[in-house]
Amino acid sequence: TVDGVQIFGGGATGNVVAGNYIGLDATGTADLGNTNQGVAIFLGATYNTVGGTTEGARNVISGNNQVGVRISDTGTNYNTISGNYIGTNAAGTGAIGNTFQGVQIDAGSANLIGGTVAGARNVISGNLDNGILITNGGVNNYVQGNIIGLDASGSGVLANAQEGIEVTGGAYGTWIGGTTSATRNIISGNTWQGIGVYGATTDGTVIRGN
């Protein structure tokens, strides 16, 4: 296959991807990665959800040969990635990294990685590039309530091989964390920076409460 799951185009709205192993075998312990992304949301798809706030809704998205979850193109807005294990085994205790980022947002706006309610936390760890990359002019995207670089317990290192979060390429108004304990990300154990913000036109990033 190319992508494990594709959600494509402006008419693709309100879809839910929940409770799957995407890139692993049925035991959740061995790499059977898809050729490209685990989940690809692109070309104007909106209001789609990958995961959820219950254990049963959790996807394990690991071992894929490009990005775990990729949100691409202008107009690909208001999508939510919550409650997943991205780059780990099904138990969240060991790394089965996606080859590039765990999650990447290219140019989309108002997308949410994580959330502020119980169960919305993603574990984004063990990936072979950054945990999260936001780039190509993405506007007002949110990263809240996640564990990035540790196991699901938050006590053992499962490093992303580069940065925990990278914001670059003219991305504007990215929020990392927030003003409450529920919005706090735990960003630790990564091989390079915990958070890197780069480029003269990458403006308005808020890093708060992590």
Side-chain angles (χ1 to χ4, degrees):
T1 61
V2 179
D3 301 316
V5 178
Q6 283 188 351
I7 301 174
F8 176 96
T13 186
N15 298 288
V16 177
V17 179
N20 305 286
Y21 291 168
I22 302 173
L24 300 181
D25 72 353
T27 70
T29 61
D31 184 344
L32 292 178
N34 295 286
T35 303
N36 289 346
Q37 279 62 239
V39 180
I41 304 172
F42 58 112
L43 285 178
T46 57
Y47 293 101
N48 300 288
T49 300
V50 178
T53 59
T54 67
E55 184 175 352
R58 176 188 303 144
N59 299 291
V60 184
I61 306 169
S62 301
N64 298 288
N65 293 335
Q66 291 193 18
V67 177
V69 180
R70 188 169 184 174
I71 298 171
S72 298
D73 306 307
T74 300
T76 307
N77 304 336
Y78 301 106
N79 299 288
T80 299
I81 313 302
S82 65
N84 305 288
Y85 290 175
I86 303 174
T88 78
N89 60 20
T93 57
I96 308 178
N98 297 290
T99 300
F100 297 151
Q101 281 66 237
V103 180
Q104 182 168 329
I105 298 176
D106 292 301
S109 299
N111 298 289
L112 173 62
I113 303 171
T116 62
V117 299
R121 168 177 285 171
N122 298 293
V123 178
I124 305 172
S125 301
N127 298 288
L128 303 182
D129 204 312
N130 302 305
I132 298 170
L133 174 63
I134 300 174
T135 188
N136 290 343
V139 178
N140 295 339
N141 294 290
Y142 293 82
V143 181
Q144 296 180 318
N146 304 286
I147 292 176
I148 303 169
L150 302 177
D151 65 12
S153 73
S155 61
V157 171
L158 287 182
N160 295 294
Q162 294 195 27
E163 295 176 296
I165 303 171
E166 180 178 341
V167 183
T168 190
Y172 180 84
T174 302
W175 274 81
I176 300 172
T179 60
T180 68
S181 60
T183 59
R184 175 185 303 139
N185 299 290
I186 302 170
I187 307 166
S188 299
N190 298 288
T191 303
W192 290 12
Q193 286 67 244
I195 301 169
V197 181
Y198 305 107
T201 61
T202 302
D203 300 335
T205 302
V206 176
I207 301 168
R208 189 168 187 179
N210 304 287

